[in-house]
């Protein structure tokens, strides 16, 4: 429950971002100042906010020309719809598909540098909650059970 509470608090804080911050992020990803992003860049932008989005969904909402307005409406909707069940999906992108394990080094970097922006102390406190194998990984299923 402790882990879930920390992550939920961070998610709530993140959702309070104002539109100017979303615009600044969009502009950073719009390197060529075209006013739109291609599909891969759009996916990276959503991922930077901890939102996993499928290619099919991207195609439906903006395809290869995701404008800021489309992005803003989409991200607001996704952030409002986010709940405890989606937290597992939030971290799915950093789990090894081969081993089903979550690298704590990757997890730590992810928490501190992308999406939720945990402090080093918050990250270390959170990581103490997990049983780590000899390779520095956590079993994904155990992680998901701890999140519920």
């Amino acid at each position: 429950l402790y882990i879930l509470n920390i992550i939920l608090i961070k998610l709530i804080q993140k959702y309070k971002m104002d539109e100017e911050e979303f615009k600044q992020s969009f502009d950073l990803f719009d390197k060529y100042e075209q006013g739109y992003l291609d599909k891969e860049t759009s996916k990276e932008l959503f991922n930077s906010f901890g939102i996993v989005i499928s290619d099919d969904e991207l195609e439906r909402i903006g395809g290869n020309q995701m404008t800021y307005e489309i992005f803003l409406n989409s991200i607001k909707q996704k952030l409002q719809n986010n709940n405890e069940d989606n937290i597992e999906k939030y971290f799915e992108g950093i789990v090894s598909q081969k081993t089903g394990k979550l690298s704590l080094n990757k997890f730590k970097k992810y928490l501190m540098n992308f999406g939720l922006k945990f402090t080093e102390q918050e990250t270390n406190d959170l990581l103490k909650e997990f049983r780590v194998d000899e390779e520095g990984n956590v079993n994904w299923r155990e992680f998901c059970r701890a999140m519920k």
Side-chain angles (χ1 to χ4, degrees), residues 3-100:
I3 297 164
L4 184 58
N5 286 338
I6 289 176
I7 291 174
L8 285 175
I9 288 167
K10 281 292 186 180
L11 286 171
I12 290 166
Q13 289 170 348
K14 184 175 71 154
Y15 300 158
K16 293 182 178 178
M17 293 179 78
D18 63 16
E19 290 184 18
E20 183 59 32
E21 289 175 278
F22 286 126
K23 178 68 172 144
Q24 288 173 355
S25 296
F26 183 90
D27 290 344
L28 283 173
F29 280 82
D30 185 13
K31 296 175 193 161
Y32 302 109
E33 299 179 6
Q34 298 173 312
Y36 63 87
L37 305 176
D38 63 29
K39 197 184 306 184
E40 280 307 307
T41 307
S42 297
K43 192 176 226 178
E44 290 172 16
L45 178 57
F46 277 100
N47 287 339
S48 75
F49 288 99
I51 295 174
V52 177
I53 189 164
S54 70
D55 288 337
D56 289 341
E57 188 172 3
L58 273 176
E59 195 62 44
R60 279 193 307 274
I61 62 175
N64 255 346
Q65 292 195 351
M66 173 82 63
T67 64
Y68 170 69
E69 290 76 20
I70 293 170
F71 165 71
L72 181 62
N73 290 333
S74 300
I75 197 161
K76 280 184 171 183
Q77 181 181 6
K78 287 200 159 290
L79 293 175
Q80 288 170 353
N81 292 338
N82 210 344
N83 58 37
E84 292 178 22
D85 295 333
N86 292 332
I87 291 176
E88 286 180 26
K89 199 172 192 179
Y90 184 88
F91 296 106
E92 230 168 35
I94 59 172
V95 174
S96 167
Q97 297 302 313
K98 291 181 183 178
T99 65

Side-chain angles (χ1 to χ4, degrees), residues 116-140:
L116 298 178
K117 304 279 187 192
F118 275 67
T119 65
E120 182 147 6
Q121 184 61 48
E122 288 171 325
T123 303
N124 290 334
D125 289 346
L126 183 64
L127 296 178
K128 288 178 191 174
E129 300 292 317
F130 297 105
R131 187 176 51 203
V132 182
D133 69 16
E134 63 280 350
E135 296 171 354
N137 297 311
V138 170
N139 181 285
W140 178 238

